[in-house]
Amino acid sequence: MNLTNLLAKHFDDHVEVTHRTLEALATPLEVAIEACFQTLTNGGKLLACGNGGSAADAQHFIAELVGRFERERLPLAGVTLSADTSILTAVGNDYGYEQVFARQVAALGQPGDILVAISTSGNSGNVLQAIQTAHECEMNVIALTGRDGGQIGQMLYETDVHLCVPHERTMRIQEMHILLLHLICEGIDTLLLGEP
C-alpha cells in the first residue's frame, strides 16, 4: 500500500467512525452536556483524569473550561488530575500509581461535582479507582471509553453517563474522545450564552 492509499484509508475510517459515534452517542452526549451545565451553574466543578493521550485530552478539556472554548465567557470551574507532577509522584510513590487520581478526587470532590474519566480501554486501574472514589463522594461520572467499555462500563451507576466509542482501534477512539469533549464545551457555551 502506498502512502496516498494509506492516508485515504485513515480519512475514510475517521469519517465512518464519526458517523457511528454520532448514531450511538447523540442522546448520552446531550445528557452529559446538561449534567455539566447544571453542575457548573450550581457552584460545582468538573474533575478530569486519564493516562497518556487521555491525560492530554483531560488537560485540553479543562483548559477550554477555565480559559474559553470559542466565545468569551466567565471561567468555569475545572481541575485536571493528571497535570500536577508533585502530587502524581508523591501519591504514586507513597500509595501506588492506582491511587494517583483517587486521592485527588477524595481531596477535591464534593457531592454534585462531576468526574470526567477517560480511558480508551475502559480498564485503567487508576481511573477505575477514581470512579469508585467519586461515587463514595456522591459525585456523578461522565466516562469516555471505547471498545466494549471495559471494567468502567460495568461499574457506572444509572446516574452516570457512558460515552463508549464503538470502535476497537485506540487512535480512532482518541479522535472521537476529543470531538466529544469539544462538543461538551460547545454545548455548555450554547446553554450559557445562547446560539452562536
Side-chain angles (χ1 to χ4, degrees), residues 44-66:
K45 64 188 168 298
L46 307 186
L47 306 178
C49 66
N51 298 290
S54 298
D57 286 346
Q59 197 165 340
H60 181 147
F61 175 58
I62 296 300
E64 306 285 24
L65 296 179
V66 175

Side-chain angles (χ1 to χ4, degrees), residues 103-146:
R103 293 284 293 186
Q104 294 181 78
V105 172
L108 301 171
Q110 299 292 322
D113 288 347
I114 291 176
L115 175 69
V116 179
I118 310 171
S119 170
T120 57
S121 68
N123 295 316
S124 302
N126 54 8
V127 178
L128 292 164
Q129 291 295 319
I131 292 171
Q132 181 178 324
T133 302
H135 286 153
E136 292 167 2
C137 293
E138 299 178 33
M139 296 170 59
N140 290 326
V141 175
I142 297 172
L144 285 78
T145 68

Side-chain angles (χ1 to χ4, degrees), residues 55-91:
D57 286 346
Q59 197 165 340
H60 181 147
F61 175 58
I62 296 300
E64 306 285 24
L65 296 179
V66 175
R68 67 171 181 184
F69 185 54
E70 292 188 323
R71 294 189 280 167
E72 288 298 331
R73 57 152 162 74
L74 292 173
L76 301 172
V79 179
T80 307
L81 304 182
S82 53
D84 189 321
T85 55
S86 293
I87 291 175
L88 293 174
T89 54
V91 173

Side-chain angles (χ1 to χ4, degrees), residues 9-194:
K9 180 176 182 344
H10 277 286
F11 275 95
D12 289 344
D13 287 350
H14 177 84
V15 170
E16 190 266 336
V17 73
T18 300
H19 287 293
R20 284 177 45 204
T21 300
L22 173 62
E23 290 172 7
L25 300 181
T27 298
L29 182 57
E30 288 183 24
V31 173
I33 292 167
E34 288 280 354
C36 290
F37 173 76
Q38 290 300 325
T39 290
L40 293 168
T41 55
N42 285 301
K45 64 188 168 298
L46 307 186
L47 306 178
C49 66
N51 298 290
S54 298
D57 286 346
Q59 197 165 340
H60 181 147
F61 175 58
I62 296 300
E64 306 285 24
L65 296 179
V66 175
R68 67 171 181 184
F69 185 54
E70 292 188 323
R71 294 189 280 167
E72 288 298 331
R73 57 152 162 74
L74 292 173
L76 301 172
V79 179
T80 307
L81 304 182
S82 53
D84 189 321
T85 55
S86 293
I87 291 175
L88 293 174
T89 54
V91 173
N93 185 63
D94 294 346
Y95 299 97
Y97 190 66
E98 293 205 346
Q99 292 299 314
V100 294
F101 301 140
R103 293 284 293 186
Q104 294 181 78
V105 172
L108 301 171
Q110 299 292 322
D113 288 347
I114 291 176
L115 175 69
V116 179
I118 310 171
S119 170
T120 57
S121 68
N123 295 316
S124 302
N126 54 8
V127 178
L128 292 164
Q129 291 295 319
I131 292 171
Q132 181 178 324
T133 302
H135 286 153
E136 292 167 2
C137 293
E138 299 178 33
M139 296 170 59
N140 290 326
V141 175
I142 297 172
L144 285 78
T145 68
R147 303 183 181 99
D148 64 358
Q151 295 174 59
I152 288 174
Q154 317 255 330
M155 70 183 301
L156 295 175
Y157 292 174
E158 286 185 15
T159 52
D160 297 328
V161 181
H162 191 191
L163 300 174
C164 182
V165 175
H167 205 277
E168 294 296 315
R169 196 163 182 185
T170 298
M171 80 160 85
R172 293 285 100 86
I173 296 166
Q174 289 177 327
E175 289 162 10
M176 292 304 102
H177 281 178
I178 198 60
L179 174 60
L180 293 167
L181 293 169
H182 278 163
L183 293 174
I184 291 171
C185 292
E186 175 74 5
I188 292 167
D189 280 4
T190 298
L191 293 173
L192 282 170
L193 305 171

